[in-house]
Amino acid sequence: MNLFGLVAYAQESTGQAQASGGAAALISSFLPLVLLIVIFYFMLIRPQRKRDKETKAMLDALKVGDKVVTVGGICGKVSKIKDSFVFVETGNIGTQEEKSLIKFERSAIKSVEKKISN
């Protein structure tokens, strides 16, 4: 081999090393981004999906006689359920005076406290 052949071989070897080093640099530059996405999934997205499932289960289990609190802070007893609407009695629940019936969408129910037995 002559000197020209050695120089050409050395240039070829460094070219391959730079190509493999470039791939490693590319992977190491995307690694923090991938880690950030994984952290966001476990810290934000997954807990929110869990809360949504619990809320859906609570609204599906809603029945007449349950004591509820709406997102607006109105407390009362469920008196009737029709499709996606819930009718809530407010006021003095035990008596007929000062009692009112308010129509809400199911999604407006924030929490179910307990079933009231009469």
Side-chain angles (χ1 to χ4, degrees), residues 10-104:
Q11 286 179 347
E12 185 178 305
S13 297
T14 58
Q16 290 174 353
Q18 286 177 350
S20 64
L26 185 65
I27 290 172
S28 67
S29 67
F30 280 117
L31 187 62
L33 181 64
V34 170
L35 287 175
L36 188 65
I37 290 170
V38 169
I39 289 171
F40 271 127
Y41 175 76
F42 283 106
M43 298 283 289
L44 298 173
I45 297 169
R46 191 168 176 230
Q48 182 63 39
R49 284 187 180 171
K50 184 178 177 183
R51 269 181 263 141
D52 289 345
K53 281 183 182 179
E54 290 171 355
T55 302
K56 186 178 180 334
M58 183 229 5
L59 292 176
D60 289 342
L62 196 63
K63 55 187 174 266
V64 174
D66 287 346
K67 185 176 178 185
V68 296
V69 177
T70 66
V71 291
I74 297 173
C75 300
K77 179 180 87 168
V78 175
S79 64
K80 187 167 47 169
I81 299 174
K82 279 192 170 182
D83 299 328
S84 63
F85 294 102
V86 177
F87 294 85
V88 177
E89 283 182 17
T90 61
N92 294 333
I93 294 175
T95 64
Q96 285 296 326
E97 42 188 77
E98 297 182 24
K99 184 168 58 169
S100 61
L101 193 63
I102 304 174
K103 181 180 177 181
F104 290 101

